Amino acid sequence: MVTLERILDRKNIEKALLQVARNKGAAGVDGMLTEELQKYLNSNWRVLKMELLEGKYCPKAVREVEIPKPNGGTRMLGIPTVIDRMLQQAISQVMIPVYEEQFSACSYGFRPKRNAHQAVLQAQCLLKGGREWVVELDLEKFFDKVNHDRLMSRLSLTIKDKPTLSLIRKFLTSGILKDGVETVRTAGTPQGSPLSPLLSNIVLDELDKEIEKRGHAFIRYADDCSIYLKSERAAKRTASSITRYIEDKLLLKVNKEKTKVSYGEQSTLLGYSFEKSPTQSWMIQIPWTSINRVKRKCKALTKRSNGKSEKRVLENLKVLIEGWINYFQLATANTRALGNLDGYVRVRLRMHQWKAWKRAPARIKGLLRLGASKRDAYEHGHSSKSYCRIAKSWVLTKTMTNKVIKKRGYLGFVDSFYLKKKAQMSMF
DNA sequence: TTTACAGCGAC
RNA sequence: GUUGUCGCUGUAAA
Ligand SMILES: Nc1ncnc2c1ncn2[C@H]1C[C@H](O)[C@@H](COP(=O)(O)OP(=O)(O)OP(=O)(O)O)O1
Ligand SMILES: [Mg+2]
């Protein structure tokens, strides 16, 4: 049951506050920082709560910031005030358990206990099961094009509490501030609001139900929807049919460039691609686009102009590559691409006349092998801890002692700071 | 088991 | 300057 009382409950608000505080995000239009939210609430929470219960509270405008997208174009972020971020977080926390019960099992994005790896492994299963033709759909400017009236009416099917619905609508219609000029929002949910991901899933839950009704196998991750079919003809037919459904019924726009019908080997999903091997059926692969993306990051880290020490650059590279490999662990095909990345990193290091290029930091091929072992262990239900330990001893060579001492000192400070915060919290 | 910090990825 | 959700890895503390 979603009610304003439960949303504004002390325990729920404390949790929401903690989340906003630890994100350490930038300020909204009012300039209030995340560190200042606690002491603001200590003096103003009671009046704020009264305003909310009386339906008198009006959310501030979101601050619009443009950021570049990885493959060209710009993304318009809408950054709410820290107070509004906390309130939306509080709403989200109450709504999530209710909606988790009704969401589709094939939806993987923005949902607790679900991740991209599960989606990619499921895609591999579908391909292995003979559904080798893929419809890939992506929506154009998805969050920005969400229809308010459709969303509100869908919310009212589950949420019966009028004050909550009214508050959510106020958040949807709050203004947009850019270069000192405030404009009105008539559609869309801000990219950057804590509630937006959940709302977007509520919108596309309708699509999930429609695809399920038609009996198709599919995987959805946010606005990325892949449908797996057994023939090209069926794939082409459902592509146009589902596109029509999305545009006419859901009033959203399908991205024509990112949408395609292809054989499994040409399909991509969540950074991965797939390859059909004669011996092992469908294998998971890393496409060149993903390799090139991490290469660019490596290049940025090893630029001549940034005046960082060799030690520091190597540490940063290690962290980047380790984290990257950790995500792309599922890949077992096309290991040449990984060797290529390894070679690229060594060239960048040699450019600086650094001797490390022979030894570490990459060991990418070794890491891939370990990643594959880890994946096998996971699939067969065994513990993967031993593999992790092996990877650790192989990869961590130096830079450890220095870093650990620094972190220790810092952590001690943070811990005491956190305890102080918890003590302050009981004030309001 | 949980919490804090650092980071990586998907969208 | 850059927000948000989700997941994961590593470290540390109970
Ligand atoms: N960095 C981010 N911060 C907040 N929200 C994000 C971020 N990246 C993606 N999203 C959300 C908002 C997007 O509308 C939605 C789908 O992502 P994506 O398809 O990459 O962009 P998009 O749909 O807005 O534009 P495009 O027309 O290029 O597809 O996911
Ligand atoms: Mg999109």
Side-chain angles (χ1 to χ4, degrees):
Chain A
M1 194 72 166
V2 181
T3 62
L4 204 52
E5 284 70 31
R6 282 191 57 188
I7 289 163
L8 301 179
D9 177 68
R10 274 282 303 279
K11 191 95 175 62
N12 191 50
I13 290 291
E14 281 177 10
K15 198 176 161 201
L17 165 64
L18 221 62
Q19 172 72 0
V20 173
R22 74 173 157 218
N23 277 348
K24 294 172 171 39
V29 285
D30 62 354
M32 191 192 289
L33 305 170
T34 50
E35 309 95 67
E36 300 169 334
L37 182 56
Q38 172 73 66
K39 68 170 160 50
Y40 173 84
L41 289 173
N42 282 342
S43 45
N44 298 309
W45 171 243
R46 290 191 73 80
V47 268
L48 183 58
K49 185 172 179 177
M50 283 310 290
E51 270 181 35
L52 285 155
L53 287 171
E54 289 165 12
K56 264 200 61 113
Y57 178 76
C58 201
K60 302 287 177 198
V62 293
R63 186 164 60 87
E64 192 175 282
V65 172
E66 283 186 21
I67 60 164
K69 277 194 249 187
N71 40 352
T74 58
R75 161 166 280 118
M76 310 276 223
L77 297 180
I79 304 169
T81 295
V82 288
I83 297 162
D84 290 335
R85 291 213 291 268
M86 181 194 74
L87 294 172
Q88 293 196 37
Q89 180 65 40
I91 296 171
S92 164
Q93 283 164 13
V94 175
M95 283 173 68
I96 280 174
V98 174
Y99 278 96
E100 275 303 308
E101 287 180 6
Q102 43 185 287
F103 282 160
S104 162
C106 302
S107 162
Y108 292 90
F110 307 139
R111 291 183 59 187
K113 297 290 171 193
R114 284 164 176 267
N115 59 38
H117 282 173
Q118 296 167 338
V120 171
L121 288 171
Q122 178 61 19
Q124 185 189 30
C125 287
L126 295 177
L127 289 167
K128 280 183 171 173
R131 296 175 161 89
E132 300 183 324
W133 287 91
V134 190
V135 180
E136 287 172 71
L137 293 157
D138 189 278
L139 305 187
E140 195 177 299
K141 299 254 163 301
F142 173 42
F143 277 32
D144 304 330
K145 294 207 184 301
V146 168
N147 184 285
H148 287 142
D149 292 332
R150 267 199 71 84
L151 171 57
M152 288 311 301
S153 75
R154 191 145 178 85
L155 285 172
S156 65
L157 295 178
T158 303
I159 302 173
K160 302 300 179 189
D161 188 53
K162 300 293 179 198
T164 303
L165 290 170
S166 146
L167 182 59
I168 292 172
R169 185 177 269 282
K170 279 182 181 173
F171 275 117
L172 286 174
T173 55
S174 62
I176 303 162
L177 193 76
K178 185 180 172 72
D179 305 322
V181 184
E182 186 171 332
T183 53
V184 212
R185 178 185 287 276
T186 56
T189 179
Q191 303 187 37
S193 289
L195 192 55
S196 292
L198 173 61
L199 295 181
S200 80
N201 269 339
I202 291 167
V203 168
L204 289 190
D205 182 52
E206 221 174 333
L207 174 63
D208 298 339
K209 297 287 147 62
E210 177 66 21
I211 299 173
E212 275 167 7
K213 202 178 81 186
R214 299 185 188 195
H216 294 138
F218 74 104
I219 287 157
R220 187 172 68 78
Y221 194 103
D223 71 337
D224 223 330
C225 186
S226 297
I227 308 171
Y228 294 81
L229 297 134
K230 291 189 173 172
S231 77
E232 184 173 15
R233 254 177 60 92
K236 287 219 160 110
R237 184 175 49 78
T238 58
S240 62
S241 167
I242 293 289
T243 299
R244 243 190 343 269
Y245 174 81
I246 290 168
E247 301 200 330
D248 298 346
K249 192 92 194 292
L250 301 182
L251 305 175
L252 294 163
K253 208 161 170 214
V254 172
N255 193 331
K256 299 293 180 204
E257 279 111 29
K258 288 196 200 170
T259 296
K260 62 177 188 188
V261 175
S262 57
Y263 188 64
E265 288 195 303
Q266 269 68 248
S267 74
T268 62
L269 181 68
L270 304 172
Y272 283 99
S273 60
F274 303 88
E275 189 182 64
K276 190 176 187 178
S277 111
T279 49
Q280 293 176 314
S281 187
W282 286 94
M283 300 190 19
I284 299 171
Q285 196 179 11
I286 308 177
W288 285 104
T289 52
S290 295
I291 298 280
N292 287 335
R293 194 149 40 198
V294 75
K295 267 192 194 174
R296 274 200 300 278
K297 289 199 171 189
C298 288
K299 187 175 183 176
L301 282 180
T302 53
K303 269 211 175 265
R304 289 173 200 275
S305 48
N306 70 10
K308 286 197 255 178
S309 68
E310 173 179 356
K311 198 172 175 179
R312 186 59 186 272
V313 171
L314 288 179
E315 173 60 22
N316 290 347
L317 268 177
K318 187 177 79 63
V319 167
L320 171 70
I321 292 169
E322 243 180 330
W324 187 86
I325 287 283
N326 177 51
Y327 178 74
F328 285 102
Q329 261 173 14
L330 296 188
T332 55
N334 191 19
T335 57
R336 286 170 53 80
L338 273 292
N340 177 290
L341 173 60
D342 189 299
Y344 180 79
V345 173
R346 286 166 202 275
V347 168
R348 297 297 297 181
L349 296 180
R350 199 162 43 187
M351 181 189 80
H352 287 269
Q353 268 90 35
W354 289 341
K355 290 155 198 164
W357 70 271
K358 285 190 188 174
R359 173 169 41 89
R363 300 298 294 252
I364 290 169
K365 278 194 162 170
L367 274 168
L368 179 75
R369 198 170 55 72
L370 288 166
S373 306
K374 196 175 162 183
R375 200 271 308 263
D376 290 343
Y378 175 72
E379 278 189 339
H380 296 114
H382 300 309
S383 167
S384 64
K385 278 197 174 148
S386 57
Y387 295 109
C388 294
R389 284 195 204 290
I390 294 165
K392 200 168 77 177
S393 67
W394 274 32
V395 179
L396 297 184
T397 48
K398 62 173 198 170
T399 72
M400 200 169 157
T401 50
N402 194 353
K403 183 94 185 199
V404 167
I405 288 163
K406 267 168 81 177
K407 271 202 177 175
R408 232 180 215 285
Y410 186 54
L411 190 65
F413 168 73
V414 170
D415 266 352
S416 60
F417 184 69
Y418 172 71
L419 288 173
K420 227 165 77 182
K421 262 192 172 174
K422 284 292 260 191
Q424 279 174 8
M425 199 173 290
S426 52
M427 297 283 286
F428 79 90

